[in-house]
Amino acid sequence: MAQVQFEARVSKNTLGVNERLRIDFMMNVDGDNFEQPSFDGFRIVAGPSQQISQSWVNGRSSFQKIYSYYLLPIQKGTFTIKQASIEYNGQVYKTSPVKITVTNAVAQERDPNSQQQHQHQGGGNEILNLVAEISKTNPYINQPITVVYKLYFYGINVTGFKELAKPKYKDFWNQNIDIKQLQIEEGMYKGEHCYFVVLKKTILYPQKSGNLTIEPLSLDIGIQVPRGRNMFGQIVFDDGNKTVSAGAKTINVRALPEANKPIGFTGAVGKFDFKVTPSKTTLKSGESLDLIVSAAGTGNMKLFTLPKPVVPNALEMYDPVHDEKVSTSLVGMSGKISDKYTIIPQFKGKYAIKPMEFSYFDLNSGSYKTITSPEIMIDVLDGPVQAETAASNTSKNVITKSEQFKYIKPKTVLISTAKDDFYGSDLYYGLLLFPFVILPIIIIAKKKKEAIDSDVTGNRIKMNNKLAKKYLSEAKKQLNNKEPFYIALEKAMHNFLKAKLHIETSEMSKDNIRELLSSRNANPETVQSFIHLTENCEFARYAPASSASIQQDYDKAVLIISELEKQIV
């Protein structure tokens, strides 16, 4: 008997996501109970079809049975077509697994036979093609380009689509533009009248120079192809699927010119307006000002940094708060970005914030532009005076004749080269006894720390005292900012009560506070003033208030807390 052969053969082991794969399961015997494998990562578009052939040559017979499938990849990746099986003479035979690699979509030559068959079935020249339209193919770094994906069709119905391979934009900053509703429009494709629908819009900003590749978008399109009319004159359609791809696109990105590039250039490309705006230029000691550094216009708004201001040492500047109000459309990004710096003066006087420079590359002129902000003078009206530096014309030290050779010593001092041995020295015995002295101290300190840590109530009181002082100090700093001031003031008063009355936030009702303070010998008028001020904090946050009334509330809070500190026992 001949040896049983059962194997799986594929048309190719590597194919594009828009290509079809043929797989044949071939046997040299008439096996029964054929079981197909699970085609993970693929969809069956045709099959199984069965072919049987038998021949006799020189008295010998040969037999072959084939089960054939046509598969379409669902996505990119590496997949394994598992084993198929048959039975022959009571024994089970299996094929070996086959590994298939699915890559990006590839350019496909039109099959004349398929096209003729297609035209014959549809009765006309059907069109179905996906096109990626690029606004610029030779942009500068950070110059916006748009990619619009259009599906052209004619003579067939499109019933739906699914993405097989999403385009990747390596070395591009990218953002999709939302399409609220797909609309069918009329247009031309290669000189032929047809319909099209815009499926996807993307804005790209290249981040490096050279030839950059946009990987293709591939779609699985559900279609209906007309194959004729029935006896009633109605058009009859055949349902099917077809894979289309926009193909890879290459963008040749130009580097920004090095000639005349400003030193402070941080990558801004477009058209911008630059401003440095202080919230105030005259202020008192303890007050703060906001310095807003902003750039507005059109360009790569999210892809560069604003310059940082340089201020004198007498002005304390905090890290900025960054804000972006940017919208993105097919023409690119537009809007405004800003950095807000909080500056607090430390001394009385007049201080200059140096002019700032902002540079960008202007696409219209193909050159660099620099905008310089004016110098800003800050006048601090009161506060401590900064210590004056020594005048540059102070008298220099004069070396007298008697001191001219002072560094030369007239007498020689000899030092013995013999050294005492470390063993038996005072240092030796000191280091020897040190562990016995330090261990009891460590044990006592540890026990004391454990006792302190176990005192939950005491720790809570200390923490609340610290918080009350912290928020009262914060309220003083926020005298010019109404809402933060009253929030800090309210927290300071609540934490003061927590520390003094040993209560939690859930127990801080008005009646409970009045009862507890009265039981601790607090003056009823002071208690009423405290409750009234805490109620006023919530109301004053949203009501208009002057700087005089804010200062008055702060002074009142300090006075009430001081009085309660004396009265509570």
Side-chain angles (χ1 to χ4, degrees):
M1 294 180 62
Q3 185 177 3
V4 176
Q5 295 179 355
F6 182 41
E7 60 180 339
R9 294 183 183 179
V10 293
S11 57
K12 56 180 72 177
N13 291 96
T14 301
L15 70 156
V17 73
N18 61 329
E19 293 183 297
R20 292 188 179 191
L21 174 72
R22 174 173 174 167
I23 181 166
D24 296 323
F25 297 97
M26 309 172 65
M27 63 194 80
N28 66 342
V29 294
D30 190 7
D32 298 322
N33 299 328
F34 171 75
E35 289 188 9
Q36 69 183 42
S38 60
F39 297 107
D40 296 334
F42 297 87
R43 186 180 73 250
I44 299 174
V45 293
S49 62
Q50 180 178 320
Q51 301 176 25
I52 298 177
S53 61
Q54 192 168 7
S55 62
W56 286 264
V57 178
N58 296 328
R60 292 186 178 183
S61 66
S62 63
F63 177 87
Q64 188 177 59
K65 181 192 285 188
I66 302 174
Y67 289 95
S68 299
Y69 294 82
Y70 286 91
L71 308 177
L72 185 67
I74 297 175
Q75 59 188 8
K76 294 188 298 182
T78 300
F79 306 96
T80 299
I81 297 177
K82 298 180 180 178
Q83 294 173 310
S85 65
I86 58 170
E87 291 184 12
Y88 183 70
N89 288 341
Q91 213 168 357
V92 176
Y93 297 88
K94 295 183 179 181
T95 62
S96 299
V98 180
K99 185 174 290 186
I100 303 296
T101 301
V102 181
T103 63
N104 291 326
V106 298
Q108 291 179 303
E109 295 293 335
R110 179 172 296 182
D111 184 354
N113 297 324
S114 175
Q115 180 66 18
Q116 288 172 7
Q117 184 182 9
H118 194 189
Q119 291 179 10
H120 175 72
Q121 291 179 344
N125 292 324
E126 288 80 23
I127 296 174
L128 183 65
N129 213 326
L130 182 64
V131 176
E133 296 182 355
I134 311 291
S135 62
K136 298 180 186 69
T137 57
N138 190 27
Y140 282 106
I141 290 178
N142 273 317
Q143 182 177 5
I145 61 175
T146 58
V147 185
V148 179
Y149 295 93
K150 293 182 179 180
L151 179 66
Y152 289 92
F153 59 95
Y154 181 78
I156 58 176
N157 294 333
V158 176
T159 59
F161 66 91
K162 181 176 68 174
E163 287 189 359
L164 295 178
K166 293 183 178 181
K168 293 183 179 179
Y169 307 108
K170 185 181 179 183
D171 299 320
F172 290 92
W173 182 95
N174 67 89
Q175 181 172 327
N176 290 329
I177 307 299
D178 291 335
I179 300 176
K180 296 181 180 179
Q181 186 176 3
L182 299 179
Q183 294 183 346
I184 297 176
E185 303 177 51
E186 294 188 27
M188 301 293 291
Y189 178 72
K190 294 185 177 180
E192 297 288 339
H193 179 270
C194 61
Y195 300 95
F196 72 89
V197 60
V198 176
L199 301 179
K200 191 182 183 74
K201 298 178 182 179
T202 305
I203 185 80
L204 305 176
Y205 283 85
Q207 298 301 294
K208 62 182 289 188
S209 60
N211 290 328
L212 306 184
T213 300
I214 300 175
E215 294 188 9
L217 170 67
S218 297
L219 302 176
D220 179 21
I221 307 291
I223 60 174
Q224 289 181 330
V225 182
R227 62 178 176 86
R229 296 180 182 271
N230 60 17
M231 59 184 297
F232 302 104
Q234 297 173 330
I235 299 176
V236 180
F237 293 91
D238 286 334
D239 293 329
N241 289 80
K242 187 172 182 180
T243 302
V244 293
S245 174
K249 301 292 182 181
T250 300
I251 308 297
N252 183 17
V253 182
R254 292 178 287 172
L256 297 177
E258 292 295 328
N260 302 319
K261 181 183 288 189
I263 296 176
F265 178 70
T266 59
V269 176
K271 182 70 174 178
F272 302 97
D273 184 25
F274 176 70
K275 290 182 180 180
V276 180
T277 309
S279 60
K280 60 179 80 172
T281 55
T282 303
L283 61 160
K284 298 178 182 179
S285 175
E287 291 184 338
S288 64
L289 68 92
D290 291 332
L291 188 69
I292 300 175
V293 181
S294 64
T298 59
N300 57 333
M301 304 294 297
K302 299 180 181 181
L303 303 175
F304 63 84
T305 56
L306 292 167
K308 186 176 182 179
V310 178
V311 301
N313 293 333
L315 302 179
E316 185 175 358
M317 184 172 70
Y318 293 87
D319 290 336
V321 176
H322 185 72
D323 183 47
E324 293 181 356
K325 295 179 181 177
V326 180
S327 60
T328 306
S329 65
L330 277 181
V331 297
M333 287 185 274
S334 62
K336 179 180 179 180
I337 62 171
S338 62
D339 288 336
K340 182 170 75 172
Y341 296 84
T342 299
I343 298 176
I344 301 177
Q346 303 298 308
F347 302 100
K348 176 182 178 181
K350 292 186 177 182
Y351 305 97
I353 297 178
K354 296 180 179 180
M356 299 173 62
E357 291 186 348
F358 173 74
S359 300
Y360 66 93
F361 182 74
D362 184 14
L363 292 170
N364 293 331
S365 62
S367 61
Y368 293 98
K369 301 290 180 69
T370 299
I371 303 174
T372 304
S373 67
E375 183 180 74
I376 299 173
M377 292 299 299
I378 305 299
D379 188 6
V380 184
L381 301 178
D382 58 6
V385 179
Q386 190 174 13
E388 296 291 337
T389 56
S392 59
N393 57 352
T394 53
S395 59
K396 298 180 180 179
N397 292 331
V398 179
I399 300 176
T400 61
K401 291 182 179 179
S402 60
E403 295 177 331
Q404 188 173 3
F405 300 101
K406 185 177 180 179
Y407 67 93
I408 300 178
K409 295 183 178 181
K411 294 183 180 180
T412 302
V413 178
L414 300 177
I415 300 175
S416 175
T417 57
K419 295 183 179 180
D420 296 334
D421 193 355
F422 172 72
Y423 182 76
S425 65
D426 293 340
L427 179 60
Y428 168 78
Y429 289 111
L431 293 175
L432 188 66
L433 296 175
F434 179 75
F436 299 98
V437 175
I438 196 65
L439 278 175
I441 297 174
I442 294 174
I443 294 171
I444 293 170
K446 184 178 180 182
K447 289 183 177 180
K448 187 174 181 181
K449 185 177 184 304
E450 290 175 350
I452 293 172
D453 293 340
S454 63
D455 184 9
V456 178
T457 303
N459 290 336
R460 188 169 63 245
I461 293 170
K462 290 178 183 178
M463 177 59 69
N464 290 332
N465 266 323
K466 289 181 180 178
L467 290 173
K469 292 178 182 178
K470 172 188 173 183
Y471 287 118
L472 199 58
S473 174
E474 179 65 23
K476 185 176 180 181
K477 293 180 181 178
Q478 300 291 344
L479 284 171
N480 295 316
N481 300 308
K482 180 186 67 175
E483 187 173 346
F485 166 77
Y486 281 108
I487 291 174
L489 186 63
E490 185 178 10
K491 288 183 179 179
M493 299 180 74
H494 283 180
N495 282 286
F496 171 76
L497 279 186
K498 290 180 184 178
K500 294 301 177 185
L501 302 181
H502 310 165
I503 61 175
E504 297 297 328
T505 303
S506 59
E507 303 175 87
M508 296 184 68
S509 65
K510 183 167 61 176
D511 294 336
N512 194 31
I513 291 172
R514 182 180 283 109
E515 182 180 343
L516 289 172
L517 287 175
S518 299
S519 66
R520 301 287 292 273
N521 297 332
N523 190 312
E525 293 181 0
T526 308
V527 174
Q528 183 59 34
S529 299
F530 184 92
I531 293 173
H532 177 72
L533 185 56
T534 55
E535 292 175 344
N536 187 50
C537 286
E538 180 67 26
F539 173 76
R541 256 191 266 172
Y542 306 102
S546 64
S547 58
S549 63
I550 292 175
Q551 182 66 49
Q552 185 179 358
D553 285 342
Y554 175 77
D555 295 338
K556 188 185 295 183
V558 174
L559 179 61
I560 292 171
I561 290 175
S562 178
E563 290 295 325
L564 288 176
E565 188 78 46
K566 298 174 185 176
Q567 296 170 11
I568 294 176
V569 296

